[in-house]
């Protein structure tokens, strides 16, 4: 009896250990991303993903419960990547207009890209059957573009550069302004091509102007050498 228990326990211990391999996890997510982007969520199968990832189906189930779980984690990984990218734009001691321009360009370019639009359309299309997947896609994670911009705005408030009581709301407003007139036409198909960089730049420039008109304190520039 003791031997039987050991035999049954061993595979589970192995599965737990295998599930902690970050390189294998990334390999699976990379394969899943290629399949989802090419075929869409509904058409993609776990067999397709195993082939694209170069792993067995059993290995996939060590890391992810099912296709929905795998898609959700893929979306979270992509969101984490863009969050880290825009976070770097908020580092340093540049003037607020330049910093917001860098942040806005990165965010708006990402949100109007073909890859992001396809991913969002996939989630919306699956919402009637898998409402929890859609909720997971749009739910706020602890670290996201809004939260990192809010942290930056908090620093600007402390420095007297921005006057704002609700930096979370202000961060959301600026983010919306960077994609106004671009994101909805993209997601609903009236704008089939990725907007040119010039169009995004004009959008972001306008967003900064409106944002600072509402919240900017227009501080005086320090004298040279101060």
């Amino acid at each position: 009896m003791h031997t039987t228990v050991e035999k049954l326990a061993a595979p589970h211990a192995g599965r737990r250990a295998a599930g902690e391999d970050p390189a294998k996890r990334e390999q699976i997510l990379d394969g899943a991303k290629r399949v989802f982007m090419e075929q869409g969520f509904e058409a993609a199968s776990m067999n397709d993903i195993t082939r694209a990832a170069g792993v067995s189906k059993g290995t996939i189930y060590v890391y992810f419960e099912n296709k929905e779980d795998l898609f959700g984690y893929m979306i979270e990984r992509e969101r984490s990547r863009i969050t880290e990218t825009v976070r770097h734009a908020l580092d340093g001691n540049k003037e607020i207009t330049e910093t917001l321009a860098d942040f806005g360009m990165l965010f708006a370019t990402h949100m109007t890209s073909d890859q992001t639009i396809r991913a969002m359309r996939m989630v919306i299309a699956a919402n009637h059957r898998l409402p929890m997947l859609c909720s997971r896609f749009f739910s706020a994670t602890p670290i996201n573009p809004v939260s990192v911009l809010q942290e930056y705005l908090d620093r600007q408030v402390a420095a007297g550069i921005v006057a704002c009581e609700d930096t979370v709301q202000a961060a959301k407003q600026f983010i919306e302004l960077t994609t106004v007139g671009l994101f909805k036409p993209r997601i609903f198909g009236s704008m089939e091509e990725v907007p040119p960089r010039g169009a995004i730049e004009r959008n972001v420039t306008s967003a900064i102007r409106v944002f600072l008109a509402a919240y900017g304190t227009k501080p005086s520039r320090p004298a040279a050498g101060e």
Side-chain angles (χ1 to χ4, degrees):
M1 181 69 177
H2 178 69
T3 302
T4 302
V5 171
E6 287 181 342
K7 288 181 178 179
L8 289 172
H12 294 288
R15 287 169 69 86
R16 286 197 296 272
E20 295 173 358
D21 182 353
K24 184 65 68 176
R25 185 184 183 85
E26 289 298 300
Q27 179 181 339
I28 295 170
L29 287 170
D30 287 340
K33 180 180 177 180
R34 289 194 296 272
V35 173
F36 284 132
M37 291 300 105
E38 291 172 2
Q39 301 184 21
F41 175 78
E42 296 283 0
S45 71
M46 293 299 270
N47 287 332
D48 296 327
I49 293 170
T50 57
R51 286 191 292 270
V55 299
S56 68
K57 187 178 290 186
T59 298
I60 288 185
Y61 287 118
V62 169
Y63 292 83
F64 305 99
E65 293 182 9
N66 47 41
K67 185 173 74 168
E68 293 77 12
D69 187 46
L70 181 53
F71 184 76
Y73 275 106
M74 183 203 76
I75 293 299
E76 288 173 10
R77 184 184 70 163
E78 297 306 307
R79 183 162 46 190
S80 294
R81 286 178 173 177
I82 184 58
T83 298
E84 286 306 308
T85 298
V86 297
R87 185 205 292 272
H88 291 313
L90 300 173
D91 293 338
N93 298 313
K94 296 179 292 186
E95 290 190 4
I96 188 170
T97 52
E98 185 178 354
T99 301
L100 290 178
D102 290 344
F103 177 95
M105 286 298 299
L106 288 169
F107 182 80
T109 299
H110 169 76
M111 290 302 294
T112 56
S113 69
D114 284 334
Q115 178 176 296
T116 300
I117 294 301
R118 283 200 300 269
M120 288 193 171
R121 286 173 177 167
M122 277 190 282
V123 174
I124 292 170
N127 184 50
H128 68 286
R129 188 170 65 85
L130 299 165
M132 290 304 295
L133 178 62
C134 196
S135 175
R136 180 176 178 177
F137 183 89
F138 289 106
S139 65
T141 54
I143 305 298
N144 55 67
V146 171
S147 70
V148 296
L149 181 56
Q150 178 222 337
E151 291 174 0
Y152 170 78
L153 293 177
D154 284 339
R155 298 195 298 271
Q156 304 313 299
V157 169
I161 297 171
V162 167
C164 177
E165 295 182 357
D166 187 347
T167 51
V168 174
Q169 181 69 4
K172 291 178 180 178
Q173 289 170 338
F174 180 73
I175 282 175
E176 290 293 326
L177 287 170
T178 63
T179 60
V180 68
L182 298 177
F183 176 71
K184 286 184 179 178
R186 286 285 286 141
I187 198 75
F188 291 113
S190 61
M191 183 186 294
E192 296 183 1
E193 300 294 329
V194 172
R197 180 177 177 84
I200 296 176
E201 286 178 341
R202 289 191 295 274
N203 229 49
V204 172
T205 299
S206 176
I208 294 170
R209 186 182 304 116
V210 171
F211 184 82
L212 292 181
Y215 298 116
T217 60
K218 299 181 180 179
S220 60
R221 295 174 61 88
E226 291 187 3

